[in-house]
PDB file of all heavy atoms in Angstrom:
ATOM      1  N   VAL A  61      10.742  25.976  27.800  1.00  0.00           N
ATOM      2  CA  VAL A  61      10.368  26.741  28.989  1.00  0.00           C
ATOM      3  C   VAL A  61       9.011  27.400  28.776  1.00  0.00           C
ATOM      4  O   VAL A  61       8.137  27.391  29.654  1.00  0.00           O
ATOM      5  CB  VAL A  61      11.438  27.798  29.318  1.00  0.00           C
ATOM      6  CG1 VAL A  61      10.962  28.699  30.451  1.00  0.00           C
ATOM      7  CG2 VAL A  61      12.748  27.134  29.703  1.00  0.00           C
ATOM      8  N   GLU A  62       8.813  27.970  27.594  1.00  0.00           N
ATOM      9  CA  GLU A  62       7.543  28.618  27.282  1.00  0.00           C
ATOM     10  C   GLU A  62       6.379  27.638  27.375  1.00  0.00           C
ATOM     11  O   GLU A  62       5.290  27.992  27.815  1.00  0.00           O
ATOM     12  CB  GLU A  62       7.606  29.212  25.874  1.00  0.00           C
ATOM     13  CG  GLU A  62       8.011  30.661  25.822  1.00  0.00           C
ATOM     14  CD  GLU A  62       6.923  31.571  26.367  1.00  0.00           C
ATOM     15  OE1 GLU A  62       6.003  31.963  25.638  1.00  0.00           O
ATOM     16  OE2 GLU A  62       6.987  31.892  27.573  1.00  0.00           O
ATOM     17  N   GLN A  63       6.610  26.404  26.951  1.00  0.00           N
ATOM     18  CA  GLN A  63       5.527  25.422  27.015  1.00  0.00           C
ATOM     19  C   GLN A  63       5.114  25.175  28.464  1.00  0.00           C
ATOM     20  O   GLN A  63       3.925  25.041  28.759  1.00  0.00           O
ATOM     21  CB  GLN A  63       5.930  24.109  26.360  1.00  0.00           C
ATOM     22  CG  GLN A  63       4.764  23.120  26.281  1.00  0.00           C
ATOM     23  CD  GLN A  63       5.184  21.756  25.802  1.00  0.00           C
ATOM     24  OE1 GLN A  63       5.703  20.953  26.571  1.00  0.00           O
ATOM     25  NE2 GLN A  63       4.976  21.492  24.530  1.00  0.00           N
ATOM     26  N   VAL A  64       6.091  25.115  29.361  1.00  0.00           N
ATOM     27  CA  VAL A  64       5.770  24.925  30.778  1.00  0.00           C
ATOM     28  C   VAL A  64       4.918  26.089  31.287  1.00  0.00           C
ATOM     29  O   VAL A  64       3.882  25.896  31.933  1.00  0.00           O
ATOM     30  CB  VAL A  64       7.047  24.779  31.621  1.00  0.00           C
ATOM     31  CG1 VAL A  64       6.698  24.701  33.109  1.00  0.00           C
ATOM     32  CG2 VAL A  64       7.836  23.536  31.204  1.00  0.00           C
ATOM     33  N   PHE A  65       5.342  27.311  30.972  1.00  0.00           N
ATOM     34  CA  PHE A  65       4.598  28.483  31.425  1.00  0.00           C
ATOM     35  C   PHE A  65       3.217  28.562  30.780  1.00  0.00           C
ATOM     36  O   PHE A  65       2.278  29.109  31.372  1.00  0.00           O
ATOM     37  CB  PHE A  65       5.386  29.759  31.131  1.00  0.00           C
ATOM     38  CG  PHE A  65       6.423  30.098  32.155  1.00  0.00           C
ATOM     39  CD1 PHE A  65       7.738  29.698  31.995  1.00  0.00           C
ATOM     40  CD2 PHE A  65       6.098  30.810  33.298  1.00  0.00           C
ATOM     41  CE1 PHE A  65       8.706  30.007  32.941  1.00  0.00           C
ATOM     42  CE2 PHE A  65       7.048  31.123  34.254  1.00  0.00           C
ATOM     43  CZ  PHE A  65       8.356  30.721  34.072  1.00  0.00           C
ATOM     44  N   SER A  66       3.080  28.028  29.576  1.00  0.00           N
ATOM     45  CA  SER A  66       1.794  28.108  28.865  1.00  0.00           C
ATOM     46  C   SER A  66       0.708  27.292  29.550  1.00  0.00           C
ATOM     47  O   SER A  66      -0.481  27.507  29.300  1.00  0.00           O
ATOM     48  CB  SER A  66       1.956  27.633  27.418  1.00  0.00           C
ATOM     49  OG  SER A  66       2.113  26.224  27.351  1.00  0.00           O
ATOM     50  N   LYS A  67       1.091  26.360  30.410  1.00  0.00           N
ATOM     51  CA  LYS A  67       0.114  25.485  31.061  1.00  0.00           C
ATOM     52  C   LYS A  67      -0.418  26.060  32.372  1.00  0.00           C
ATOM     53  O   LYS A  67      -1.257  25.444  33.035  1.00  0.00           O
ATOM     54  CB  LYS A  67       0.733  24.110  31.314  1.00  0.00           C
ATOM     55  CG  LYS A  67       1.073  23.364  30.023  1.00  0.00           C
ATOM     56  CD  LYS A  67       1.657  21.996  30.312  1.00  0.00           C
ATOM     57  CE  LYS A  67       1.956  21.245  29.017  1.00  0.00           C
ATOM     58  NZ  LYS A  67       2.516  19.894  29.272  1.00  0.00           N
ATOM     59  N   LEU A  68       0.056  27.232  32.762  1.00  0.00           N
ATOM     60  CA  LEU A  68      -0.417  27.846  34.000  1.00  0.00           C
ATOM     61  C   LEU A  68      -1.864  28.298  33.854  1.00  0.00           C
ATOM     62  O   LEU A  68      -2.288  28.777  32.802  1.00  0.00           O
ATOM     63  CB  LEU A  68       0.456  29.052  34.362  1.00  0.00           C
ATOM     64  CG  LEU A  68       1.914  28.772  34.713  1.00  0.00           C
ATOM     65  CD1 LEU A  68       2.665  30.086  34.883  1.00  0.00           C
ATOM     66  CD2 LEU A  68       2.012  27.938  35.975  1.00  0.00           C
ATOM     67  N   ASP A  69      -2.631  28.153  34.932  1.00  0.00           N
ATOM     68  CA  ASP A  69      -4.011  28.624  34.958  1.00  0.00           C
ATOM     69  C   ASP A  69      -4.007  30.064  35.459  1.00  0.00           C
ATOM     70  O   ASP A  69      -4.246  30.329  36.642  1.00  0.00           O
ATOM     71  CB  ASP A  69      -4.859  27.725  35.868  1.00  0.00           C
ATOM     72  CG  ASP A  69      -6.329  28.124  35.876  1.00  0.00           C
ATOM     73  OD1 ASP A  69      -6.708  29.030  35.101  1.00  0.00           O
ATOM     74  OD2 ASP A  69      -7.098  27.535  36.663  1.00  0.00           O
ATOM     75  N   LEU A  70      -3.746  30.983  34.549  1.00  0.00           N
ATOM     76  CA  LEU A  70      -3.621  32.383  34.948  1.00  0.00           C
ATOM     77  C   LEU A  70      -4.971  33.006  35.282  1.00  0.00           C
ATOM     78  O   LEU A  70      -5.029  33.995  36.019  1.00  0.00           O
ATOM     79  CB  LEU A  70      -2.937  33.180  33.839  1.00  0.00           C
ATOM     80  CG  LEU A  70      -1.498  32.746  33.525  1.00  0.00           C
ATOM     81  CD1 LEU A  70      -0.907  33.631  32.429  1.00  0.00           C
ATOM     82  CD2 LEU A  70      -0.629  32.806  34.770  1.00  0.00           C
ATOM     83  N   ALA A  71      -6.041  32.451  34.756  1.00  0.00           N
ATOM     84  CA  ALA A  71      -7.365  32.999  35.066  1.00  0.00           C
ATOM     85  C   ALA A  71      -7.652  32.893  36.565  1.00  0.00           C
ATOM     86  O   ALA A  71      -8.172  33.828  37.180  1.00  0.00           O
ATOM     87  CB  ALA A  71      -8.436  32.270  34.263  1.00  0.00           C
ATOM     88  N   ALA A  72      -7.283  31.748  37.151  1.00  0.00           N
ATOM     89  CA  ALA A  72      -7.532  31.550  38.582  1.00  0.00           C
ATOM     90  C   ALA A  72      -6.698  32.496  39.425  1.00  0.00           C
ATOM     91  O   ALA A  72      -7.087  32.858  40.540  1.00  0.00           O
ATOM     92  CB  ALA A  72      -7.236  30.103  38.970  1.00  0.00           C
ATOM     93  N   ALA A  73      -5.539  32.903  38.897  1.00  0.00           N
ATOM     94  CA  ALA A  73      -4.646  33.788  39.648  1.00  0.00           C
ATOM     95  C   ALA A  73      -4.897  35.255  39.334  1.00  0.00           C
ATOM     96  O   ALA A  73      -4.191  36.121  39.853  1.00  0.00           O
ATOM     97  CB  ALA A  73      -3.194  33.442  39.331  1.00  0.00           C
ATOM     98  N   SER A  74      -5.882  35.545  38.500  1.00  0.00           N
ATOM     99  CA  SER A  74      -6.153  36.930  38.097  1.00  0.00           C
ATOM    100  C   SER A  74      -7.508  37.423  38.575  1.00  0.00           C
ATOM    101  O   SER A  74      -7.907  38.539  38.231  1.00  0.00           O
ATOM    102  CB  SER A  74      -6.084  37.044  36.568  1.00  0.00           C
ATOM    103  OG  SER A  74      -4.838  36.614  36.072  1.00  0.00           O
ATOM    104  N   ARG A  85      -0.193  32.994  45.955  1.00  0.00           N
ATOM    105  CA  ARG A  85       0.052  31.611  46.372  1.00  0.00           C
ATOM    106  C   ARG A  85      -0.416  30.620  45.302  1.00  0.00           C
ATOM    107  O   ARG A  85       0.261  29.621  45.022  1.00  0.00           O
ATOM    108  CB  ARG A  85      -0.660  31.327  47.694  1.00  0.00           C
ATOM    109  CG  ARG A  85      -0.039  32.011  48.903  1.00  0.00           C
ATOM    110  CD  ARG A  85      -0.745  31.624  50.174  1.00  0.00           C
ATOM    111  NE  ARG A  85      -0.560  30.204  50.498  1.00  0.00           N
ATOM    112  CZ  ARG A  85      -1.064  29.615  51.577  1.00  0.00           C
ATOM    113  NH1 ARG A  85      -1.793  30.313  52.428  1.00  0.00           N
ATOM    114  NH2 ARG A  85      -0.847  28.343  51.790  1.00  0.00           N
ATOM    115  N   THR A  86      -1.579  30.893  44.715  1.00  0.00           N
ATOM    116  CA  THR A  86      -2.102  30.012  43.671  1.00  0.00           C
ATOM    117  C   THR A  86      -1.148  29.960  42.478  1.00  0.00           C
ATOM    118  O   THR A  86      -0.859  28.881  41.944  1.00  0.00           O
ATOM    119  CB  THR A  86      -3.486  30.507  43.200  1.00  0.00           C
ATOM    120  OG1 THR A  86      -4.421  30.399  44.277  1.00  0.00           O
ATOM    121  CG2 THR A  86      -3.984  29.700  42.013  1.00  0.00           C
ATOM    122  N   LEU A  87      -0.659  31.112  42.078  1.00  0.00           N
ATOM    123  CA  LEU A  87       0.226  31.180  40.921  1.00  0.00           C
ATOM    124  C   LEU A  87       1.552  30.481  41.203  1.00  0.00           C
ATOM    125  O   LEU A  87       2.075  29.739  40.361  1.00  0.00           O
ATOM    126  CB  LEU A  87       0.469  32.644  40.550  1.00  0.00           C
ATOM    127  CG  LEU A  87       1.136  32.918  39.205  1.00  0.00           C
ATOM    128  CD1 LEU A  87       0.349  32.272  38.075  1.00  0.00           C
ATOM    129  CD2 LEU A  87       1.258  34.413  38.970  1.00  0.00           C
ATOM    130  N   ALA A  88       2.099  30.691  42.397  1.00  0.00           N
ATOM    131  CA  ALA A  88       3.371  30.063  42.757  1.00  0.00           C
ATOM    132  C   ALA A  88       3.227  28.538  42.813  1.00  0.00           C
ATOM    133  O   ALA A  88       4.080  27.800  42.294  1.00  0.00           O
ATOM    134  CB  ALA A  88       3.849  30.594  44.106  1.00  0.00           C
ATOM    135  N   ALA A  89       2.153  28.066  43.424  1.00  0.00           N
ATOM    136  CA  ALA A  89       1.942  26.620  43.527  1.00  0.00           C
ATOM    137  C   ALA A  89       1.711  26.000  42.148  1.00  0.00           C
ATOM    138  O   ALA A  89       2.174  24.883  41.875  1.00  0.00           O
ATOM    139  CB  ALA A  89       0.751  26.336  44.438  1.00  0.00           C
ATOM    140  N   ASP A  90       1.028  26.721  41.281  1.00  0.00           N
ATOM    141  CA  ASP A  90       0.763  26.211  39.934  1.00  0.00           C
ATOM    142  C   ASP A  90       2.057  26.086  39.139  1.00  0.00           C
ATOM    143  O   ASP A  90       2.282  25.083  38.449  1.00  0.00           O
ATOM    144  CB  ASP A  90      -0.215  27.141  39.219  1.00  0.00           C
ATOM    145  CG  ASP A  90      -0.815  26.513  37.965  1.00  0.00           C
ATOM    146  OD1 ASP A  90      -0.694  25.285  37.783  1.00  0.00           O
ATOM    147  OD2 ASP A  90      -1.403  27.260  37.154  1.00  0.00           O
ATOM    148  N   LEU A  91       2.928  27.093  39.231  1.00  0.00           N
ATOM    149  CA  LEU A  91       4.201  27.021  38.508  1.00  0.00           C
ATOM    150  C   LEU A  91       5.032  25.842  39.011  1.00  0.00           C
ATOM    151  O   LEU A  91       5.638  25.110  38.219  1.00  0.00           O
ATOM    152  CB  LEU A  91       4.984  28.329  38.679  1.00  0.00           C
ATOM    153  CG  LEU A  91       6.322  28.391  37.937  1.00  0.00           C
ATOM    154  CD1 LEU A  91       6.113  28.249  36.429  1.00  0.00           C
ATOM    155  CD2 LEU A  91       7.053  29.690  38.247  1.00  0.00           C
ATOM    156  N   ARG A  92       5.059  25.645  40.312  1.00  0.00           N
ATOM    157  CA  ARG A  92       5.795  24.509  40.867  1.00  0.00           C
ATOM    158  C   ARG A  92       5.234  23.183  40.351  1.00  0.00           C
ATOM    159  O   ARG A  92       5.986  22.276  39.977  1.00  0.00           O
ATOM    160  CB  ARG A  92       5.710  24.553  42.389  1.00  0.00           C
ATOM    161  CG  ARG A  92       6.554  23.493  43.085  1.00  0.00           C
ATOM    162  CD  ARG A  92       6.260  23.470  44.562  1.00  0.00           C
ATOM    163  NE  ARG A  92       7.116  22.552  45.282  1.00  0.00           N
ATOM    164  CZ  ARG A  92       6.837  22.067  46.484  1.00  0.00           C
ATOM    165  NH1 ARG A  92       5.724  22.432  47.103  1.00  0.00           N
ATOM    166  NH2 ARG A  92       7.661  21.231  47.079  1.00  0.00           N
ATOM    167  N   ALA A  93       3.913  23.093  40.285  1.00  0.00           N
ATOM    168  CA  ALA A  93       3.285  21.861  39.812  1.00  0.00           C
ATOM    169  C   ALA A  93       3.578  21.609  38.333  1.00  0.00           C
ATOM    170  O   ALA A  93       3.798  20.468  37.917  1.00  0.00           O
ATOM    171  CB  ALA A  93       1.771  21.938  40.033  1.00  0.00           C
ATOM    172  N   ARG A  94       3.614  22.658  37.529  1.00  0.00           N
ATOM    173  CA  ARG A  94       3.869  22.491  36.095  1.00  0.00           C
ATOM    174  C   ARG A  94       5.295  21.987  35.860  1.00  0.00           C
ATOM    175  O   ARG A  94       5.532  21.130  35.012  1.00  0.00           O
ATOM    176  CB  ARG A  94       3.651  23.805  35.352  1.00  0.00           C
ATOM    177  CG  ARG A  94       2.235  24.360  35.419  1.00  0.00           C
ATOM    178  CD  ARG A  94       1.236  23.549  34.615  1.00  0.00           C
ATOM    179  NE  ARG A  94       0.865  22.289  35.249  1.00  0.00           N
ATOM    180  CZ  ARG A  94       0.021  22.170  36.270  1.00  0.00           C
ATOM    181  NH1 ARG A  94      -0.511  23.242  36.825  1.00  0.00           N
ATOM    182  NH2 ARG A  94      -0.267  21.004  36.772  1.00  0.00           N
ATOM    183  N   PHE A  95       6.258  22.512  36.616  1.00  0.00           N
ATOM    184  CA  PHE A  95       7.629  22.034  36.463  1.00  0.00           C
ATOM    185  C   PHE A  95       7.777  20.615  37.000  1.00  0.00           C
ATOM    186  O   PHE A  95       8.636  19.864  36.530  1.00  0.00           O
ATOM    187  CB  PHE A  95       8.611  22.983  37.155  1.00  0.00           C
ATOM    188  CG  PHE A  95       9.119  24.080  36.266  1.00  0.00           C
ATOM    189  CD1 PHE A  95       8.558  25.337  36.299  1.00  0.00           C
ATOM    190  CD2 PHE A  95      10.161  23.850  35.374  1.00  0.00           C
ATOM    191  CE1 PHE A  95       9.016  26.356  35.470  1.00  0.00           C
ATOM    192  CE2 PHE A  95      10.628  24.854  34.540  1.00  0.00           C
ATOM    193  CZ  PHE A  95      10.055  26.112  34.587  1.00  0.00           C
ATOM    194  N   ALA A  96       6.948  20.251  37.976  1.00  0.00           N
ATOM    195  CA  ALA A  96       7.007  18.886  38.509  1.00  0.00           C
ATOM    196  C   ALA A  96       6.628  17.855  37.446  1.00  0.00           C
ATOM    197  O   ALA A  96       7.012  16.688  37.545  1.00  0.00           O
ATOM    198  CB  ALA A  96       6.081  18.756  39.718  1.00  0.00           C
ATOM    199  N   GLU A  97       5.901  18.282  36.432  1.00  0.00           N
ATOM    200  CA  GLU A  97       5.527  17.381  35.341  1.00  0.00           C
ATOM    201  C   GLU A  97       6.733  17.022  34.477  1.00  0.00           C
ATOM    202  O   GLU A  97       6.704  16.041  33.741  1.00  0.00           O
ATOM    203  CB  GLU A  97       4.445  18.022  34.478  1.00  0.00           C
ATOM    204  CG  GLU A  97       3.122  18.245  35.223  1.00  0.00           C
ATOM    205  CD  GLU A  97       2.129  19.043  34.412  1.00  0.00           C
ATOM    206  OE1 GLU A  97       2.474  19.474  33.285  1.00  0.00           O
ATOM    207  OE2 GLU A  97       1.001  19.251  34.893  1.00  0.00           O
ATOM    208  N   ARG A 113       6.204  35.034  25.579  1.00  0.00           N
ATOM    209  CA  ARG A 113       4.874  35.588  25.867  1.00  0.00           C
ATOM    210  C   ARG A 113       4.278  35.017  27.135  1.00  0.00           C
ATOM    211  O   ARG A 113       3.735  35.748  27.971  1.00  0.00           O
ATOM    212  CB  ARG A 113       3.943  35.324  24.673  1.00  0.00           C
ATOM    213  CG  ARG A 113       2.510  35.813  24.880  1.00  0.00           C
ATOM    214  CD  ARG A 113       1.740  35.779  23.568  1.00  0.00           C
ATOM    215  NE  ARG A 113       1.614  34.429  23.053  1.00  0.00           N
ATOM    216  CZ  ARG A 113       0.599  33.611  23.340  1.00  0.00           C
ATOM    217  NH1 ARG A 113      -0.358  34.015  24.164  1.00  0.00           N
ATOM    218  NH2 ARG A 113       0.525  32.400  22.810  1.00  0.00           N
ATOM    219  N   HIS A 114       4.350  33.701  27.312  1.00  0.00           N
ATOM    220  CA  HIS A 114       3.737  33.079  28.482  1.00  0.00           C
ATOM    221  C   HIS A 114       4.508  33.390  29.766  1.00  0.00           C
ATOM    222  O   HIS A 114       3.903  33.609  30.818  1.00  0.00           O
ATOM    223  CB  HIS A 114       3.638  31.574  28.275  1.00  0.00           C
ATOM    224  CG  HIS A 114       2.726  31.185  27.154  1.00  0.00           C
ATOM    225  ND1 HIS A 114       1.372  31.386  27.195  1.00  0.00           N
ATOM    226  CD2 HIS A 114       2.987  30.621  25.941  1.00  0.00           C
ATOM    227  CE1 HIS A 114       0.818  30.956  26.076  1.00  0.00           C
ATOM    228  NE2 HIS A 114       1.777  30.490  25.297  1.00  0.00           N
ATOM    229  N   ALA A 115       5.834  33.426  29.680  1.00  0.00           N
ATOM    230  CA  ALA A 115       6.633  33.760  30.856  1.00  0.00           C
ATOM    231  C   ALA A 115       6.383  35.205  31.279  1.00  0.00           C
ATOM    232  O   ALA A 115       6.286  35.510  32.480  1.00  0.00           O
ATOM    233  CB  ALA A 115       8.114  33.542  30.563  1.00  0.00           C
ATOM    234  N   LEU A 116       6.262  36.102  30.292  1.00  0.00           N
ATOM    235  CA  LEU A 116       5.988  37.505  30.613  1.00  0.00           C
ATOM    236  C   LEU A 116       4.588  37.669  31.202  1.00  0.00           C
ATOM    237  O   LEU A 116       4.380  38.491  32.104  1.00  0.00           O
ATOM    238  CB  LEU A 116       6.129  38.367  29.361  1.00  0.00           C
ATOM    239  CG  LEU A 116       7.560  38.588  28.858  1.00  0.00           C
ATOM    240  CD1 LEU A 116       7.546  39.338  27.522  1.00  0.00           C
ATOM    241  CD2 LEU A 116       8.390  39.356  29.884  1.00  0.00           C
ATOM    242  N   THR A 117       3.633  36.880  30.723  1.00  0.00           N
ATOM    243  CA  THR A 117       2.280  36.947  31.268  1.00  0.00           C
ATOM    244  C   THR A 117       2.258  36.459  32.718  1.00  0.00           C
ATOM    245  O   THR A 117       1.523  36.994  33.554  1.00  0.00           O
ATOM    246  CB  THR A 117       1.312  36.113  30.420  1.00  0.00           C
ATOM    247  OG1 THR A 117       1.346  36.588  29.071  1.00  0.00           O
ATOM    248  CG2 THR A 117      -0.109  36.220  30.941  1.00  0.00           C
ATOM    249  N   PHE A 118       3.083  35.464  33.014  1.00  0.00           N
ATOM    250  CA  PHE A 118       3.222  35.014  34.399  1.00  0.00           C
ATOM    251  C   PHE A 118       3.711  36.169  35.278  1.00  0.00           C
ATOM    252  O   PHE A 118       3.143  36.436  36.345  1.00  0.00           O
ATOM    253  CB  PHE A 118       4.210  33.847  34.464  1.00  0.00           C
ATOM    254  CG  PHE A 118       4.699  33.521  35.846  1.00  0.00           C
ATOM    255  CD1 PHE A 118       3.908  32.819  36.735  1.00  0.00           C
ATOM    256  CD2 PHE A 118       5.965  33.923  36.262  1.00  0.00           C
ATOM    257  CE1 PHE A 118       4.362  32.518  38.017  1.00  0.00           C
ATOM    258  CE2 PHE A 118       6.429  33.625  37.537  1.00  0.00           C
ATOM    259  CZ  PHE A 118       5.617  32.925  38.417  1.00  0.00           C
ATOM    260  N   GLY A 119       4.762  36.864  34.825  1.00  0.00           N
ATOM    261  CA  GLY A 119       5.277  37.994  35.587  1.00  0.00           C
ATOM    262  C   GLY A 119       4.253  39.106  35.721  1.00  0.00           C
ATOM    263  O   GLY A 119       4.117  39.718  36.788  1.00  0.00           O
ATOM    264  N   GLU A 120       3.517  39.366  34.649  1.00  0.00           N
ATOM    265  CA  GLU A 120       2.482  40.402  34.678  1.00  0.00           C
ATOM    266  C   GLU A 120       1.399  40.060  35.697  1.00  0.00           C
ATOM    267  O   GLU A 120       0.917  40.937  36.435  1.00  0.00           O
ATOM    268  CB  GLU A 120       1.862  40.541  33.283  1.00  0.00           C
ATOM    269  CG  GLU A 120       0.803  41.609  33.159  1.00  0.00           C
ATOM    270  CD  GLU A 120       1.347  43.022  33.061  1.00  0.00           C
ATOM    271  OE1 GLU A 120       2.587  43.179  32.984  1.00  0.00           O
ATOM    272  OE2 GLU A 120       0.543  43.967  33.066  1.00  0.00           O
ATOM    273  N   THR A 121       1.031  38.798  35.753  1.00  0.00           N
ATOM    274  CA  THR A 121      -0.010  38.365  36.692  1.00  0.00           C
ATOM    275  C   THR A 121       0.464  38.497  38.136  1.00  0.00           C
ATOM    276  O   THR A 121      -0.313  38.882  39.023  1.00  0.00           O
ATOM    277  CB  THR A 121      -0.427  36.913  36.401  1.00  0.00           C
ATOM    278  OG1 THR A 121      -0.798  36.797  35.021  1.00  0.00           O
ATOM    279  CG2 THR A 121      -1.609  36.498  37.261  1.00  0.00           C
ATOM    280  N   LEU A 122       1.736  38.190  38.376  1.00  0.00           N
ATOM    281  CA  LEU A 122       2.289  38.402  39.716  1.00  0.00           C
ATOM    282  C   LEU A 122       2.252  39.884  40.091  1.00  0.00           C
ATOM    283  O   LEU A 122       1.861  40.252  41.201  1.00  0.00           O
ATOM    284  CB  LEU A 122       3.735  37.895  39.765  1.00  0.00           C
ATOM    285  CG  LEU A 122       3.992  36.474  40.266  1.00  0.00           C
ATOM    286  CD1 LEU A 122       5.484  36.182  40.264  1.00  0.00           C
ATOM    287  CD2 LEU A 122       3.404  36.252  41.651  1.00  0.00           C
ATOM    288  N   VAL A 147      10.265  30.365  44.029  1.00  0.00           N
ATOM    289  CA  VAL A 147       9.605  29.226  43.391  1.00  0.00           C
ATOM    290  C   VAL A 147      10.608  28.407  42.586  1.00  0.00           C
ATOM    291  O   VAL A 147      10.629  27.163  42.667  1.00  0.00           O
ATOM    292  CB  VAL A 147       8.445  29.696  42.496  1.00  0.00           C
ATOM    293  CG1 VAL A 147       7.823  28.509  41.769  1.00  0.00           C
ATOM    294  CG2 VAL A 147       7.382  30.406  43.329  1.00  0.00           C
ATOM    295  N   ILE A 151      11.673  24.535  43.059  1.00  0.00           N
ATOM    296  CA  ILE A 151      11.605  23.566  41.962  1.00  0.00           C
ATOM    297  C   ILE A 151      12.940  22.840  41.805  1.00  0.00           C
ATOM    298  O   ILE A 151      12.988  21.631  41.547  1.00  0.00           O
ATOM    299  CB  ILE A 151      11.213  24.280  40.652  1.00  0.00           C
ATOM    300  CG1 ILE A 151       9.769  24.785  40.740  1.00  0.00           C
ATOM    301  CG2 ILE A 151      11.374  23.355  39.457  1.00  0.00           C
ATOM    302  CD1 ILE A 151       9.402  25.752  39.632  1.00  0.00           C
TER     303      ILE A 151
END
Side-chain angles (χ1 to χ4, degrees):
V61 173
E62 266 289 275
Q63 186 187 80
V64 175
F65 277 94
S66 73
K67 295 181 178 181
L68 295 173
D69 183 5
L70 297 181
S74 303
R85 289 183 66 179
T86 295
L87 192 56
D90 195 14
L91 182 61
R92 186 188 185 200
R94 298 289 75 77
F95 270 98
E97 295 172 357
R113 178 168 63 90
H114 295 293
L116 288 174
T117 302
F118 165 77
E120 182 78 6
T121 306
L122 265 181
V147 176
I151 292 167

